Amino acid sequence: MDLVLDPPRGVAPVRLGMTLNEAVAAVSPWGEPKVHQRRGGASADISTVCDRVGVQVLLEKAQRVTAVELWWPGEGRETSTRVLLEGDDVFQTPADDILQRAADRGWSVDPADGEYAYIPGVSFGFTRRTSQEVPRCPGGLPVYFTSVLVGSEDYYDFLYEGPQLT
């Protein structure tokens, strides 16, 4: 199975702007979704697993999907599911190559502190953080990403300038 990252629309079949019920129905074929309500029901998240790839759907504004985050299955775990960004497998292509190709597309890449790169305006967030024994670059960062988030075009503006999410 391929999970295709489609910024700023989501990760099919999960689309940004879906209601909670629509998002639950979209991820249900992958596995039993768990819904967690937060802040008196104003926000929620849905978590499930698709062939060992972790999935979290965030509903942070008005009970609508604002972002989808996917996690690499972990060291030594196999999956036949690929997480694709314009043909590149985000968890099997070196992170530096993914970021370079994003820059080549004209996207502004903010490498942040190295572990948490993101692309504002497109609203991709990438994480390299892991405590597992994985191949590492000379600077110590994992060679591959361990998670990727797809949000709306203003997702990082919302996070850093908007209401604090707790």
Side-chain angles (χ1 to χ4, degrees), residues 82-145:
R82 299 180 310 161
V83 176
L84 300 177
L85 173 59
E86 297 196 5
D88 292 323
D89 187 334
V90 171
F91 299 138
Q92 299 298 318
T93 303
D96 291 338
D97 292 352
I98 296 284
L99 295 176
Q100 182 58 54
R101 289 177 187 145
D104 292 346
R105 288 181 191 102
W107 293 342
S108 174
V109 176
D110 185 335
D113 66 1
E115 287 186 328
Y116 303 102
Y118 71 99
I119 303 173
V122 177
S123 288
F124 266 129
F126 299 95
T127 303
R128 288 181 166 181
R129 182 175 222 170
T130 183
S131 60
Q132 298 181 36
E133 292 301 317
V134 296
R136 295 189 180 261
C137 299
L141 290 173
V143 171
Y144 302 99
F145 287 121

